[in-house]
Amino acid sequence: MSQHKPILPGATIGVLGSGQLGRMLAIAARQMGYHIHVLSPATNTPTGAVADLEINAAYDDLDAISKFAQGVDVVTYEFENVPAATASAAAAHAPLRPGAQLLAVAQNRIREKSFFADNGLPVSPFHPIRSRTDLDTAINELGYPTILKTATSGYDGKGQYRLNSPADVDPAWQDLNGQEAILEAFVPFKQEVSIVAARGLDGHIVTYGLLTNDHENHILDVTYTPSNVPPTVINQANQLAHTVLTQLDVVGVLCIEMFLMEDNTLLLNEIAPRPHNSGHLTVDACVTSQFEQQLRAICGLPLGDTRYHQPAAMANLLGDLWQGGTPNWHALTQQTDIKLHLYGKKEARPGRKMGHITVMATSAEAAVTRVRQARNSLTHT
Ligand code: AMP
């Protein structure tokens, strides 16, 4: 099939990775009459439960990846750690969207921060760390506090060490155990924000505006939009997104996580090369969800309308809510403004993302108050 012919309903989408992001893509795809095949090393997965076919294979099983790609019309992924060899094995048989270039940048913090700096995108000062000498030199330049992060595989604050004083250096270095890392200046941000954006096969770009994110213990807790910022900040975020998507020739959806500073400037933190937790509220609050958008982009369809029906807020439901027993679904379901999304995960471990709730209201502030109230009702008997 030609790379530029649209992939239409009836075709089959292949997804690498089987968590909630794949599940919500699968739901959007099935709604529009596409088939979904998923490959991951796990069984009985959130995506598998709503897919036409669930393949159980390791991501480095290149024979399984090739066979999988031969059975679908386009391959996408729902996590950033797809090995480069896997990406090329898939791309040999079906279009891989987004492509390997975005994956390479998003899965390594050194490449990612260097990409930002090389393209004139604002980023906090950083140094690649490959030896103890690198670390000592970098600390001399950046001073304290700084943040040491593993170059690969870190998420939700894992593989991160805050260095406040010389006493923190040795333990962090030992824990790193020779892994490649990056040392970043600590950013005294006033808010964490993100922008979810999509680029089509024709190069057209759309965004969902600026999302404000509150974290708890390094894990996203609540997202709301519109953000309480001057229009210049939103313009700046849109411009940054245009640069990232264009330079990396992205076909698909990505999210850029950023820090908003006191003076309303933005610093880029990282790129998620796929739909993102902060974009979940688009499922209920927008004409086109981030998942339908991913589908449209990778299928070569025109991108959907990103307008919001109303201000909205989303709260994550972590496994912690299950620790005192089953959450009070009766109380939650009595509240008819609340949209509930559960991911079908069997085991509710603390910190594990089990689902989320979304609400729309007349203002972002009102939506945040409502979504927090509703979540609190889950632990009331
Ligand atoms: P990351 O894995 O890079 O998204 O970092 C996880 C969280 O750690 C971020 O959402 C921030 O809350 C915090 N963080 C990361 N990098 C920095 C930094 N350079 N300065 C201050 N806080 C940071």
Side-chain angles (χ1 to χ4, degrees):
M1 172 184 292
S2 147
Q3 295 262 322
H4 300 290
K5 233 166 127 192
I7 296 167
L8 295 172
T12 303
I13 314 296
V15 194
L16 301 175
S18 57
Q20 64 268 22
L21 301 177
R23 178 185 178 94
M24 289 184 270
L25 170 65
I27 290 170
R30 293 194 80 149
Q31 182 177 317
M32 286 176 64
Y34 289 87
H35 301 287
I36 279 272
H37 293 183
V38 57
L39 181 146
S40 84
T43 46
N44 294 321
T45 61
T47 311
V50 295
D52 297 276
L53 181 68
E54 180 171 28
I55 305 286
N56 179 223
Y59 294 123
D60 58 4
D61 179 347
L62 299 185
D63 289 339
I65 298 289
S66 298
K67 197 164 158 234
F68 178 73
Q70 282 164 36
V72 302
D73 295 286
V74 59
V75 176
T76 192
Y77 43 86
E78 59 116 68
F79 71 117
E80 37 274 56
N81 293 319
V82 176
T86 304
S88 8
H93 301 287
L96 175 75
R97 295 179 184 153
Q101 199 188 351
L102 172 64
L103 267 178
V105 166
Q107 65 190 205
N108 181 299
R109 290 187 196 273
I110 299 177
R111 282 201 287 267
E112 187 174 51
K113 294 263 147 103
S114 305
F115 165 79
F116 294 155
D118 294 347
N119 285 280
L121 297 166
V123 61
S124 71
F126 67 93
H127 292 271
I129 305 295
R130 299 190 176 92
S131 68
R132 180 60 198 250
T133 315
D134 285 350
L135 181 58
D136 292 337
T137 313
I139 290 173
N140 273 339
E141 288 210 15
L142 298 179
Y144 294 98
T146 52
I147 303 208
L148 182 66
K149 300 178 181 176
T150 52
T152 56
S153 304
Y155 67 97
D156 288 345
K158 294 185 177 70
Q160 282 197 24
Y161 312 87
R162 181 164 167 170
L163 309 181
N164 288 321
S165 74
D168 296 330
V169 180
D170 276 342
W173 175 248
Q174 272 157 27
D175 212 62
L176 209 54
N177 202 17
Q179 293 175 82
E180 198 180 42
I182 193 163
L183 188 76
E184 288 176 22
F186 180 81
V187 179
F189 56 80
K190 73 170 171 185
Q191 265 296 347
E192 294 195 63
V193 293
S194 56
I195 187 161
V196 173
R199 183 166 173 270
L201 205 51
D202 58 0
H204 183 59
I205 292 173
V206 296
T207 79
Y208 288 91
L210 201 66
L211 303 153
T212 299
N213 301 318
D214 290 340
H215 290 79
E216 285 285 335
N217 301 321
H218 295 286
I219 302 175
L220 183 63
D221 185 43
V222 168
T223 296
Y224 61 89
T225 199
S227 299
N228 183 18
V229 293
T232 49
V233 179
I234 296 169
N235 291 340
Q236 196 197 343
N238 278 322
Q239 274 170 19
L240 299 174
H242 273 72
T243 304
V244 169
L245 287 146
T246 310
Q247 289 303 317
L248 293 173
D249 197 19
V250 173
V251 175
V253 168
L254 61 67
C255 174
I256 308 171
E257 295 177 41
M258 294 171 286
F259 300 126
L260 178 65
M261 310 302 289
E262 286 298 340
D263 65 357
N264 281 330
T265 55
L266 292 167
L267 291 181
L268 276 71
N269 181 28
E270 64 180 1
I271 301 175
R274 49 166 172 80
H276 187 256
N277 195 168
S278 62
H280 287 358
L281 49 68
T282 63
V283 174
D284 299 304
C286 289
V287 175
T288 309
S289 76
Q290 62 170 348
F291 299 102
E292 180 185 335
Q293 204 69 278
Q294 180 185 21
L295 179 75
R296 287 181 155 275
I298 66 176
C299 288
L301 304 180
L303 298 180
D305 189 337
T306 56
R307 257 176 311 165
Y308 285 85
H309 302 302
Q310 268 198 296
M314 182 271 339
N316 272 334
L317 307 181
L318 299 184
D320 308 61
L321 287 168
W322 274 250
Q323 299 314 300
T326 306
N328 191 343
W329 299 126
H330 179 75
L332 190 85
T333 51
Q334 299 309 298
Q335 303 166 60
T336 52
D337 54 341
I338 299 293
K339 307 298 287 184
L340 172 65
H341 301 253
L342 287 174
Y343 308 147
K345 296 184 183 178
K346 309 278 176 294
E347 201 194 330
R349 294 188 297 272
R352 189 170 197 210
K353 290 174 181 168
M354 302 297 291
H356 69 268
I357 52 175
T358 308
V359 70
M360 286 183 272
T362 49
S363 70
E365 201 184 9
V368 169
T369 305
R370 254 317 276 139
V371 87
R372 286 187 184 279
Q373 264 172 1
R375 186 174 55 183
N376 286 341
S377 73
L378 283 171
T379 46
H380 294 159
T381 43

